[in-house]
Amino acid sequence: MEALQRPQIICHVEKSLNYAINDVKWIPCSAKFVSIGGKSNGAGVVEIYAISGEGIEKVSEFCKKDHFKCGTFHASSLRDRHLATGDFSGRLQVWDLEDTLVPIYKTEKHVGVINAIDGVAGATSGYGAPEIATGGKDGSVMVWDVRQKGAPVAKFCQAEGTQGRDCWSVAFGNSYNNEERVVAAGYDNGDIKLYDLKNMSVRWSKCVKNGVVSLQFDRKDIEMNKLVATTLESKIFCFDVRTQHPKKGFAQLVEKAHSSTIWCVSHLPQNRELFVTTGGAGTLCLWKYNYPHRRVEKDADGLAYGVPGELTLIQNSTLSEQPITSFD
């Protein structure tokens, strides 16, 4: 029997379109995706594409006053599929893609660009409220419940009177019931902070000494298992966040790849041990995490600490002459 051929989809954006694409996201349970960015005049644009037998076709777009930086569908139900966006003016907006004249939710609490956004519990029940996390140039991380207008339900920022570090990445995790939830945040100085939303405190922090461009848990709706962070100077940090030692913290492994900024990490939903990283030289790497023979050991005091595994590079491919800054 002849082997089935996987379809190949190539999306090419001509330079003559004269706009920047900052983020791409699949519309859940559809053959459509959105590209999010802005035009040279500073206006924001969201384009909606559909996959058909002829390839990729743009079906619609909408433009707004300010350049869009990031977006997510993860706080919305599969029925609604609302897109949450952060823009260069510090505005969080949630859009019904069937009617984009005005957002269904809007807030302007950030000062400056919203660099990163993530959502949780939109498509699942019993895993807490649907919430959106945003990280901004002002150094603050805010958590929003779109059912509550006005102020964020949680806010983490630098102490008053100190200069906040630029927050470049945020990611939800540990959302395995209605009580537990954390947000990981990465900053331009290399700090990674794990904020516990149940106790409203910093659960763990570490400095990897280089700007943290992207963060992702292997899955959001399980007890914390692994957290992957990527940085400006070609490094991947993989933390085993299942076991936390009071002094050593979480076990980690470090891998160097791409020979450029590693812009994005994205786990395969069907197999959380596989993930992709994208590089500044247009490269894409596929990795597999291999667990150690024993994940947990005990020190001389009988305290448990984690044992890191290993990463195997499965594939390395150059797809573009330009940086791949988003992957979904």
Side-chain angles (χ1 to χ4, degrees), residues 16-27:
S16 60
L17 291 178
N18 200 28
Y19 70 92
I21 297 175
N22 294 320
D23 207 354
V24 293
K25 290 289 184 290
W26 286 102
I27 300 176

Side-chain angles (χ1 to χ4, degrees), residues 204 206-208 237-240 250-254 289 306-309:
W204 168 78
K206 183 177 181 64
C207 183
V208 297
F237 292 83
C238 187
F239 300 94
D240 185 328
F250 297 119
Q252 71 172 55
L253 66 87
V254 184
Y289 183 84
V307 179

Side-chain angles (χ1 to χ4, degrees), residues 107-140:
T107 181
E108 302 180 46
K109 297 297 184 181
H110 280 282
V111 178
V113 184
I114 294 178
N115 290 316
I117 191 169
D118 194 20
V120 72
T124 54
S125 59
Y127 294 91
E131 292 178 333
I132 299 167
T134 53
K137 185 177 177 61
D138 57 6
S140 62

Side-chain angles (χ1 to χ4, degrees), residues 274 286-288 312-316:
L274 297 175
L286 177 64
W287 303 89
K288 183 179 187 300
T312 300
L313 179 62
I314 297 176
Q315 185 60 275
N316 181 6

Side-chain angles (χ1 to χ4, degrees), residues 166-169 185-192 206 208-215 228-232 237 262:
D166 198 338
C167 181
W168 283 355
S169 51
Y187 297 84
D188 65 340
N189 65 338
D191 282 348
I192 300 174
K206 183 177 181 64
V208 297
K209 300 180 181 179
N210 199 249
V212 180
V213 182
S214 180
L215 283 168
V228 177
T230 68
T231 69
L232 283 178
F237 292 83
I262 305 178

Side-chain angles (χ1 to χ4, degrees), residues 79-116:
R79 181 185 64 185
D80 296 329
R81 293 184 284 191
H82 292 155
L83 173 66
T85 59
D87 68 21
F88 274 57
S89 294
R91 193 178 292 114
L92 166 66
Q93 298 172 100
V94 180
W95 306 95
D96 180 349
L97 296 182
E98 301 298 325
D99 182 6
T100 58
L101 182 62
V102 294
I104 60 175
Y105 181 85
K106 181 175 73 171
T107 181
E108 302 180 46
K109 297 297 184 181
H110 280 282
V111 178
V113 184
I114 294 178
N115 290 316

